[in-house]
Amino acid sequence: MKDVAQHAGVSTATVSRVLNGHAAPTPETRERVLAAIEELGYRPNALARSLRTTSTQTLGLVISDLLNPFFAEIARAVEDEARSHGYCVVIGNADESAEQEATYVRTLLDRRVDGLLLCPATDDPSLVREVSAGGVPLVLLDRTVRGATCPVVRADGSEALTALARRLVGAGHTRIGVIAGPPNTSTGRERTDVLTGALGGLAQVVHGDFRQESGSQAAARLIDDGATALVAMDNLMGLGALGEVRARGLQIPHDIAFAVFDDQPWFPLLDPPITVIAQPTVEMGKAAARSLLALIDGRQPDDVRLTAKLVLRGSLGEAEL
Amino acid sequence: MKDVAQHAGVSTATVSRVLNGHAAPTPETRERVLAAIEELGYRPNALARSLRTTSTQTLGLVISDLLNPFFAEIARAVEDEARSHGYCVVIGNADESAEQEATYVRTLLDRRVDGLLLCPATDDPSLVREVSAGGVPLVLLDRTVRGATCPVVRADGSEALTALARRLVGAGHTRIGVIAGPPNTSTGRERTDVLTGALGGLAQVVHGDFRQESGSQAAARLIDDGATALVAMDNLMGLGALGEVRARGLQIPHDIAFAVFDDQPWFPLLDPPITVIAQPTVEMGKAAARSLLALIDGRQPDDVRLTAKLVLRGSLGEAEL
DNA sequence: GAGCAGTAGTTAATCGATTACACATGTATC
DNA sequence: GATACATGTGTAATCGATTAACTACTGCTC
């Protein structure tokens, strides 16, 4: 910057004003400065700028698993929305581990992100409290924690799950296997509660960990126990469960009905196409980013609850008639 | 930091020394400083530290599309490897647009990442030159550019493609549709060249853009032109093409043989399971991160070429006998 | 022509860390 | 007892920007 100033025959203050569009420099000075910048190929040091202004124009996003297309889509949406407002997004991968999540959150805070989006790995509120205590704007995404005091953006699957339950019961299923998420996550618990509630006593629940492998194992147990229908509570466990169904040579929907919470582009390609509860992922990501930006702006955004929808495709068999 | 120093009755220099494990402070002073840090809940400002040390312990990764599971997996692997060496990764989404790619690269440079991993959207070397001119360590991943002067990490699919071609020809296919990547990407061009070369005059090539939609369109044209086999050059175009095949009610492999470059966890679940050329994505990501860290370390890593493998699963029909 | 307002630009403090150098103290050597 | 050397800590410059406070100049009014 000093070089640029010297080159243009002005002070660094003037260069800074040109750079930030401040209300001072003569058009003529402006030109000279811009020419010098161009000539020297100068680029301002964002670190120094941020140190001085205490604003990094960066949002932190900590998610459970980048490999989960659900989160990848969310990340993508957050990023799009943030960029359109001049913000960058730094993504942290917590790998469904509370410990790694905490590490990442702290790293992002140390780097002074202007705000944080968090998909909490567990519903333990201590990390959230820590962030809030630091005064950093925080929005929870997809999942919440006990006694959350910050805005939350999530999808509401109650209606869809109830509708799904009604169909399964109506079709005469009496042993319905539910491959649930971990009970210490809000989504894991709530989805399962709603579904099992709506199924009356017909549900058999096995908990997985939102990963593929746990899906196959849970499916194996449930099938062994005589389930005639399977509902997986997220797409990765759904993938695992499908693998198990295939491995056993069972036909969907003839031998077993099948549904998944979360849609994926390839579900329609299976034979039969898989019935799902689709979450508005892109909307969730965008809404969360908007809430966070509002918070950074000093406004107080409301919680956002978007609706997940049941999409019938055929894998439930007669339940879809 | 000043507060901590005051609290512990020492100077900021000593606090800094304790923080960085420097070879000076007395165990007793150390304790006092650590106690003060604990008590005040002090966390060092990474921006200030980076400004002073000119090291951010951060790598930049610019990829074409986070929603493409291939890149998501790479991102994940890069991140793992980087973290295990104490580095963070900032991911930028170029969306297959050269312009957005350039914007992102510059943003990352402005933030003074210690090094950059780039999956270039086109084979135009100007951006790479710009980065190199800035003296920032750079490694290319998956794709290269014309006359690249930096380390490149990629997968070599020649053998696999040749083997695939041999099988298709051997099975008597005479109109083989190739859904190719954009000709201005190194992977798009090379894979297509190898395959069409190996197919003699039997290939019909339609170029897509590595996205799902272009895959369906290309498939539609090729099927209209009488193709009896389809090979998609990446997983997203493969997904699109599969959709088109299904939409037309064609049976794989009876009506049409099908193969995709890139594996996906759900390919084995289709009926029949899809034959693919699998790239060692995790290895690619890790290798790239390692190369970049070596470069940052002042060493000169060699290019890395990993081998992609043909995985036969049944979607080629008699070509697999 | 003195006084005042307005404009363009400079000087220097500041953000929060790191680190070269200086200094004080204690120990070993002759 | 003087000299040398090691050790632990403090002082202050520095990284590269922003910006409040100040100065210099121009032009206008009375």
Side-chain angles (χ1 to χ4, degrees):
Chain A
M1 189 163 179
K2 237 183 289 176
D3 294 348
V4 172
Q6 209 157 14
H7 216 79
V10 297
S11 76
T12 60
T14 302
V15 175
S16 174
R17 290 205 185 93
V18 170
L19 243 50
N20 296 288
H22 269 276
T26 298
E28 191 237 334
T29 331
R30 234 180 91 76
E31 280 317 313
R32 266 212 330 277
V33 171
L34 289 177
I37 287 177
E38 178 72 25
E39 186 168 347
L40 298 176
Y42 164 80
R43 306 236 73 208
N45 183 320
L47 294 176
R49 189 207 298 270
S50 295
L51 178 58
R52 188 60 240 255
T53 60
T54 66
S55 138
T56 50
Q57 297 292 102
T58 303
L59 308 182
L61 168 65
V62 176
I63 57 181
S64 319
D65 183 5
L66 241 193
L67 282 187
N68 186 331
F70 169 71
F71 287 115
E73 230 171 290
I74 289 212
R76 174 63 197 279
V78 167
E79 215 241 345
D80 276 355
E81 187 69 22
R83 190 181 31 233
S84 81
H85 290 268
Y87 280 77
C88 252
V89 177
V90 182
I91 302 173
N93 223 83
D95 224 354
E96 299 283 359
S97 135
E99 202 181 329
Q100 220 170 101
E101 171 180 283
T103 310
Y104 240 117
V105 165
R106 295 202 187 99
T107 307
L108 292 174
L109 294 184
D110 287 352
R111 289 168 191 234
R112 298 303 191 263
V113 290
D114 292 343
L116 200 58
L117 286 165
L118 179 62
C119 308
T122 76
D123 56 5
D124 179 346
S126 54
L127 188 60
V128 167
R129 288 222 193 89
E130 188 181 326
V131 176
S132 303
V136 177
L138 172 67
V139 170
L140 297 183
L141 180 47
D142 179 47
R143 308 175 184 171
T144 183
V145 301
R146 295 191 306 270
T149 54
C150 54
V152 181
V153 174
R154 53 184 159 163
D156 183 349
S158 311
E159 260 180 66
L161 284 166
T162 311
L164 174 63
R166 201 175 315 125
R167 281 172 184 273
L168 288 172
V169 174
H173 289 282
T174 53
R175 304 200 126 213
I176 298 161
V178 177
I179 303 171
N184 67 343
T185 62
S186 66
T187 49
R189 209 177 36 246
E190 287 167 14
R191 290 176 196 169
T192 309
D193 287 354
V194 171
L195 183 59
T196 53
L199 286 174
L202 309 179
Q204 281 183 282
V205 178
V206 174
H207 286 278
D209 61 2
F210 284 142
R211 272 184 287 212
Q212 182 174 351
E213 179 56 22
S214 73
S216 345
Q217 287 168 3
R221 274 178 51 194
L222 290 164
I223 295 172
D224 286 342
D225 283 0
T228 59
L230 282 181
V231 181
M233 284 310 192
D234 98 318
N235 75 79
L236 290 185
M237 295 193 299
L239 175 58
L242 263 172
E244 185 65 24
V245 168
R246 282 289 152 81
R248 293 179 178 228
L250 299 175
Q251 292 301 317
I252 299 173
H254 179 263
D255 302 324
I256 195 161
F258 198 90
V260 180
F261 201 106
D262 272 358
D263 198 6
Q264 285 300 308
W266 49 274
F267 279 151
L269 293 180
L270 294 182
D271 187 25
I274 303 295
T275 288
V276 301
I277 293 176
Q279 302 190 71
T281 41
V282 172
E283 274 321 305
M284 288 170 69
K286 288 194 189 274
R290 273 195 300 267
S291 290
L292 184 55
L293 291 169
L295 211 52
I296 292 174
D297 232 49
R299 283 170 286 145
Q300 268 298 332
D302 292 327
D303 283 8
V304 177
R305 257 198 122 91
L306 299 159
T307 311
K309 292 206 177 60
L310 180 63
V311 181
L312 299 172
R313 296 210 179 103
S315 63
L316 295 183
E318 52 179 318
E320 297 185 21
L321 297 179
Chain B
M1 189 162 178
K2 238 183 285 176
D3 294 347
V4 173
Q6 211 156 13
H7 217 79
V10 298
S11 74
T12 60
T14 302
V15 176
S16 173
R17 289 197 187 101
V18 170
L19 244 49
N20 296 288
H22 270 276
T26 295
E28 192 238 333
T29 330
R30 233 180 93 76
E31 280 316 313
R32 267 213 328 280
V33 171
L34 289 177
I37 287 177
E38 178 72 23
E39 186 167 348
L40 297 175
Y42 164 81
R43 305 235 74 207
N45 183 319
L47 294 175
R49 189 208 295 271
S50 295
L51 178 59
R52 190 58 242 255
T53 59
T54 66
S55 139
T56 50
Q57 296 293 103
T58 303
L59 308 182
L61 169 64
V62 177
I63 57 180
S64 318
D65 182 7
L66 240 194
L67 283 187
N68 186 330
F70 169 71
F71 287 116
E73 229 170 294
I74 287 210
R76 173 64 197 277
V78 167
E79 215 242 344
D80 276 354
E81 187 70 23
R83 191 182 32 234
S84 80
H85 290 267
Y87 280 76
C88 253
V89 177
V90 182
I91 301 173
N93 223 81
D95 224 355
E96 298 284 358
S97 135
E99 202 180 329
Q100 219 170 101
E101 170 179 284
T103 309
Y104 239 117
V105 166
R106 293 199 189 101
T107 306
L108 292 174
L109 294 184
D110 286 353
R111 289 167 191 235
R112 299 301 191 265
V113 291
D114 291 343
L116 201 59
L117 286 166
L118 179 62
C119 308
T122 75
D123 57 4
D124 179 346
S126 54
L127 188 61
V128 167
R129 287 220 194 90
E130 189 181 324
V131 176
S132 303
V136 177
L138 172 68
V139 170
L140 297 183
L141 180 47
D142 180 45
R143 308 175 184 170
T144 185
V145 300
R146 294 192 305 271
T149 53
C150 54
V152 181
V153 174
R154 52 184 160 162
D156 184 350
S158 312
E159 259 179 65
L161 284 165
T162 312
L164 175 62
R166 201 175 315 123
R167 280 171 185 274
L168 288 171
V169 175
H173 291 282
T174 53
R175 306 199 122 212
I176 297 161
V178 177
I179 303 172
N184 66 345
T185 62
S186 67
T187 47
R189 206 177 39 245
E190 288 167 12
R191 290 177 196 169
T192 309
D193 287 354
V194 170
L195 183 59
T196 54
L199 286 174
L202 309 179
Q204 280 182 282
V205 178
V206 174
H207 286 279
D209 62 3
F210 284 142
R211 272 185 288 212
Q212 182 174 350
E213 179 55 25
S214 74
S216 344
Q217 287 168 4
R221 274 179 50 195
L222 290 165
I223 294 172
D224 285 343
D225 284 0
T228 59
L230 282 181
V231 182
M233 285 311 191
D234 97 318
N235 75 80
L236 290 184
M237 297 193 298
L239 175 58
L242 262 172
E244 184 65 24
V245 168
R246 282 288 152 84
R248 293 180 177 227
L250 298 176
Q251 292 302 317
I252 299 173
H254 179 261
D255 303 324
I256 194 162
F258 198 90
V260 179
F261 201 106
D262 272 355
D263 199 6
Q264 286 301 307
W266 50 274
F267 279 149
L269 293 181
L270 294 181
D271 187 26
I274 304 295
T275 288
V276 300
I277 293 176
Q279 303 190 68
T281 42
V282 172
E283 274 320 307
M284 287 169 71
K286 287 192 189 275
R290 273 195 300 269
S291 290
L292 184 55
L293 291 169
L295 211 51
I296 291 173
D297 232 49
R299 281 170 287 145
Q300 269 298 334
D302 291 328
D303 283 6
V304 176
R305 258 197 123 92
L306 298 160
T307 311
K309 291 208 177 59
L310 181 61
V311 181
L312 299 171
R313 295 210 179 103
S315 63
L316 295 183
E318 52 177 319
E320 297 185 21
L321 298 179

